[in-house]
Amino acid sequence: MNNTINNTRRLVTSRGIHLLVCSLSIITSIPLVFIIGKVFFEGIHNLNLQFITKPTPNTFNAMIAINNGENIPGGIANGIVGSFIMLILASIIAIPIGILCGTYLAENRHNKFAKCISYMTDLLQGTPSIIIGIVVYAWVVIPSHGYSAIAGSIALAVMMLPLIVRSTEEALKMLPDSLKESSLALGGSYGKTILKVLLPSASGSIFTGVLLAVSRVVGETAPITFTALGCSMVHWNIDQPMSSIPLLIWQFYNDPILQPLVWSASLFLLIFVLFINISAKIINNKSKK
Amino acid sequence: MSNNIIEIKNLNISYSSNVLSVKNVNANIIKNEITAIMGPSGCGKSTLLRAINRMHDLYNNIKVDGQIFLNGTDIMKMQAIDVRRKIGMVFQRPNPFPNMSIAENVLAGYTLNGLHLNKHEKAEIIERCLKSVGLWEEVKDVQTKKGTFLSGGQQQRLCIARALALQPEVLLMDEPTSALDPIATARIEELLLELKKDVSIIIVTHNMGQAKRIAYNSMFMYLGELIEYGDTQKLFNNPMHEQTKSYLAGHVG
């Protein structure tokens, strides 16, 4: 009799905890649902072809359009092009350095110097982006006498670096030792082993890491304001100031007339980031097969 | 001398400063035969095997002392890369390079050594090596597929083909069939018996039956020492040492 009561109590406790865990899990996903929902419904009506092909409108034209009951003319083409150029440049800077550094860390796990580098990578990852922006301003913008897309790319590259280093290191650590040994056992040199066997074998995970790094920095606003400044025209000169999508969101927010565009630009950025994240996930799953 | 391809003299190997994992081993390996190394786990058989192609160089903490002669030349004084080209190795788990196709895996030794081949030479090597491991008929139409797409036994045969491509003089095998099922194991054993006309084979095995079936000579190691070494049939039927007897009877290991 006593036993039955005990069992019932255990069953109830177990069910209760299960319910609690489930509901807490749901709570975690609620913010995401609200974010996507809100941005989607507010942003969708301005998100049209003109929005992604025209540069930022000036306030005056926007005001006239609003008074006439028309859509605000212009969009975020300058931001899209700017983000695109700066992400490419940042990747060109950060990917080779990050992969080499990650390889070094994975190959010298017990080395004191490597441990020191690894710790510094962690610190860099935790450095607030605005500080990275200020430092790049002081080291690149001031000596070169002007804001530029290059300066913006350097700031983004610095932010991408620790993420690429970590993901390369982790990807290489996941490979079995026997892979490296069998390459060396064939008389392969250390360099060839890394270039022809280890890095290609881990390429799926490394590429995923790079994509995630891109999706992390694509939304960065603070370092861009200090370095690339922003620009209302579409152009391809990397030594000139340039805009980016998050920078435009910030500018739209600060301009009462252009405020409706905040949501559409946010929606575009959100779709872009989700797209990169989902691609990363797919590539990662494929490379694991 | 004439009949020995490898001579091991006073070989000591230690992982940490005081403990010897291989203690003063002396042995001659006969050319174009299969030599088995047996013994309970942790007796130093893999450690001994890996010394022969200088695998221990990869780890700073491992100290190797003594001499190993390949055709009369001390391999400790050769370049590790040259040693490994002449002495191939097959590992416990089949490990074709996951980024390479079946054909590329066979040619990996050349790629990794920076040796360039023309199309004709490549095709010839691929066919010769895959035929010698009995894989040609099975994979000739899927050579561009990844090596990891094959079954475990096929993968291990591919790894043997990869090791044979550079035409080594000695093939070291570290329990090459312990991850395979009995049918795949039998095929590999058959293959080794065929291969021994071209290459001398040293195989570490946990499986006493395997040593008995394929090895001409067998070593029995215990706690780092080479207890007994000689003709396989004699070692199994009439072991000279108590430790060998009890291992064969299943009391140790």
Side-chain angles (χ1 to χ4, degrees):
Chain A
M1 188 63 199
N2 218 347
N3 236 341
T4 337
I5 293 169
N6 233 341
N7 270 343
T8 320
R9 185 182 293 161
R10 280 165 62 182
L11 202 68
V12 169
T13 321
S14 162
R15 284 271 163 80
I17 288 178
H18 184 74
L19 204 70
L20 189 72
V21 171
C22 282
S23 44
L24 287 177
S25 312
I26 292 171
I27 288 174
T28 344
S29 55
I30 286 177
L32 182 69
V33 174
F34 273 106
I35 289 170
I36 294 178
K38 175 76 176 164
V39 172
F40 182 80
F41 287 115
E42 295 276 355
I44 193 71
H45 60 89
N46 260 328
L47 191 67
N48 45 33
L49 191 64
Q50 175 198 278
F51 187 73
I52 55 175
T53 52
K54 292 263 169 66
T56 321
N58 68 43
T59 315
F60 183 69
N61 289 347
M63 200 150 60
I64 292 173
I66 289 172
N67 284 340
N68 294 343
E70 292 164 4
N71 269 346
I72 298 173
I76 55 168
N78 49 335
I80 295 174
V81 170
S83 280
F84 180 74
I85 289 175
M86 284 192 275
L87 285 177
I88 297 274
L89 281 178
S91 301
I92 291 173
I93 300 169
I95 290 172
I97 302 176
I99 288 180
L100 287 179
C101 181
T103 309
Y104 175 77
L105 294 186
E107 287 295 310
N108 299 280
R109 288 167 216 184
H110 307 295
N111 183 322
K112 271 204 179 125
F113 180 64
K115 276 185 185 162
C116 180
I117 297 283
S118 173
Y119 185 60
M120 278 158 70
T121 313
D122 283 343
L123 286 182
L124 184 59
Q125 191 167 351
T127 308
S129 60
I130 193 157
I131 294 177
I132 292 175
I134 293 176
V135 171
V136 174
Y137 172 78
W139 282 5
V140 181
V141 175
I142 293 178
S144 67
H145 305 292
Y147 297 97
S148 65
I150 296 178
S153 310
I154 292 173
L156 295 185
V158 171
M159 298 200 61
M160 283 170 75
L161 210 49
L163 296 164
I164 298 177
V165 169
R166 272 279 165 266
S167 64
T168 306
E169 185 187 352
E170 294 305 321
L172 288 177
K173 277 184 180 170
M174 296 273 281
L175 297 176
D177 281 342
S178 71
L179 209 58
K180 178 167 139 195
E181 288 185 347
S182 52
S183 167
L184 292 165
L186 285 169
S189 66
Y190 191 63
K192 289 251 188 216
T193 299
I194 287 174
L195 284 179
K196 303 260 177 185
V197 176
L198 299 184
L199 285 178
S201 302
S203 61
S205 317
I206 293 174
F207 190 60
T208 305
V210 169
L211 281 185
L212 290 178
V214 168
S215 82
R216 263 291 305 281
V217 301
V218 67
E220 281 301 334
T221 322
I224 297 291
T225 48
F226 281 113
T227 51
L229 190 67
C231 171
S232 55
M233 289 179 304
V234 176
H235 70 82
W236 302 83
N237 300 328
I238 56 173
D239 56 347
Q240 296 294 319
M242 211 174 253
S243 198
S244 76
I245 305 171
L247 200 57
L248 285 182
I249 296 176
W250 174 240
Q251 283 170 6
F252 292 157
Y253 171 77
N254 283 317
D255 188 330
I257 305 295
L258 297 178
Q259 257 180 18
L261 295 181
V262 164
W263 294 108
S264 306
S266 302
L267 178 59
F268 186 86
L269 186 60
L270 197 61
I271 291 171
F272 185 66
V273 170
L274 285 179
F275 173 75
I276 295 181
N277 269 297
I278 291 166
S279 316
K281 198 133 236 171
I282 291 169
I283 290 166
N284 199 26
N285 287 344
K286 270 201 179 151
S287 71
K288 274 186 184 147
K289 266 178 202 163
Chain B
M1 164 85 210
S2 59
N3 213 10
N4 298 334
I5 185 148
I6 283 182
E7 296 177 8
I8 301 170
K9 289 203 170 129
N10 305 323
L11 189 72
N12 288 294
I13 304 172
S14 60
Y15 284 85
S16 57
S17 48
N18 313 323
V19 194
L20 283 177
S21 303
V22 169
K23 295 174 195 161
N24 198 27
V25 167
N26 287 281
N28 295 335
I29 310 290
I30 299 180
K31 195 172 178 172
N32 288 29
E33 286 296 349
I34 300 174
T35 305
I37 310 178
M38 295 184 295
S41 303
C43 71
K45 50 192 192 307
S46 290
T47 310
L48 172 63
L49 188 82
R50 292 161 63 90
I52 302 175
N53 71 343
R54 300 264 302 265
M55 267 333 221
H56 295 314
D57 287 18
L58 305 181
Y59 306 94
N60 294 329
N61 53 329
I62 306 178
K63 296 262 175 306
V64 183
D65 229 13
Q67 291 166 305
I68 301 174
F69 293 97
L70 171 68
N71 291 324
T73 319
D74 189 352
I75 66 155
M76 298 302 183
K77 294 187 177 127
M78 291 166 67
Q79 289 283 327
I81 285 179
D82 295 332
V83 174
R84 294 181 193 138
R85 270 178 219 169
K86 290 181 181 165
I87 304 179
M89 189 162 194
V90 174
F91 293 80
Q92 185 170 5
R93 296 201 152 271
N95 55 358
F97 297 132
N99 57 314
M100 298 184 191
S101 69
I102 293 171
E104 286 166 344
N105 260 290
V106 176
L107 296 171
Y110 292 89
T111 321
L112 289 167
N113 281 301
L115 303 169
H116 294 286
L117 300 167
N118 64 36
K119 221 174 171 184
H120 180 70
E121 288 170 323
K122 279 184 187 170
E124 198 186 290
I125 291 169
I126 293 168
E127 187 171 342
R128 171 173 59 79
C129 294
L130 289 177
K131 270 184 178 160
S132 72
V133 297
L135 207 53
W136 177 248
E137 289 303 321
E138 293 161 52
V139 305
K140 65 179 177 192
D141 301 321
V142 289
Q143 286 180 42
T144 49
K145 285 212 176 189
K146 292 262 181 279
T148 40
F149 145 91
L150 301 170
S151 74
Q154 287 175 321
Q155 286 189 20
Q156 193 62 304
R157 278 185 281 151
L158 178 61
C159 292
I160 297 173
R162 181 175 72 185
L164 290 175
L166 288 166
Q167 296 182 295
E169 297 178 44
V170 182
L171 191 58
L172 307 176
M173 310 188 94
D174 194 353
E175 300 186 43
T177 59
S178 63
L180 305 180
D181 64 64
I183 294 167
T185 301
R187 286 212 62 172
I188 301 256
E189 287 179 8
E190 251 170 64
L191 170 66
L192 297 186
L193 289 170
E194 274 170 40
L195 288 176
K196 71 177 188 178
K197 64 180 191 297
D198 299 317
V199 58
S200 315
I201 297 170
I202 307 177
I203 180 170
V204 164
T205 179
H206 250 115
N207 181 337
M208 286 183 264
Q210 184 167 59
K212 206 172 174 179
R213 285 191 294 273
I214 63 173
Y216 179 78
N217 276 336
S218 288
M219 293 183 194
F220 172 67
M221 290 183 74
Y222 188 64
L223 299 176
E225 285 178 63
L226 180 57
I227 304 291
E228 192 163 347
Y229 177 37
D231 184 85
T232 304
Q233 300 313 321
K234 209 174 134 198
L235 188 134
F236 272 92
N237 297 332
N238 197 5
M240 309 220 303
H241 293 262
E242 275 309 310
Q243 280 144 326
T244 320
K245 254 180 227 171
S246 59
Y247 177 70
L248 292 175
H251 298 317
V252 188

